[in-house]
Amino acid sequence: GRNFAEILRVIDSLQLTAKYSVATPANWNTGDKCMVLPSLSTDEARQKFPRGVEVLSPPSRKPYLRFTPDPRFSSAASSCLAKCLGRAP
């Protein structure tokens, strides 16, 4: 059989990537943090995503792992969505 929820998740992820210059990590769900594409500099990402950009420092100290909240939702909507889906905010 087919997992229809997974098909919808993939379509949602592709649309999000095309519209907002973010990628979705493995096991991503609507409302989860997204990864900022490497084609955007950190400064450009901070301007584009006013809700914040989290930069992780891997051992190489290159700032290529950058996350931002799902850009489609406000912070209040993300908290509500997480509660509705039974996930921690």
Side-chain angles (χ1 to χ4, degrees):
R2 305 272 189 257
N3 184 338
F4 193 70
E6 180 65 13
I7 292 169
L8 290 177
R9 188 183 74 81
V10 169
I11 291 170
D12 198 27
S13 173
L14 291 170
Q15 290 174 339
L16 186 66
T17 299
K19 188 170 182 179
Y20 293 102
S21 300
V22 295
T24 55
N27 300 322
W28 174 86
N29 288 300
T30 298
D32 288 351
K33 288 183 181 180
C34 302
M35 298 176 73
V36 177
L37 292 180
S39 59
L40 288 176
S41 71
T42 301
D43 290 334
E44 290 172 324
R46 287 190 173 122
Q47 290 175 358
K48 187 169 185 162
F49 306 113
R51 290 182 47 217
V53 174
E54 176 186 355
V55 180
L56 299 182
S57 295
S60 67
R61 296 194 174 127
K62 294 182 180 180
Y64 62 89
L65 288 176
R66 300 166 300 160
F67 293 88
T68 189
D70 190 330
R72 298 171 297 176
F73 302 107
S74 68
S75 59
S78 289
S79 294
C80 181
L81 182 63
K83 287 179 186 176
C84 291
L85 296 174
R87 293 181 286 192

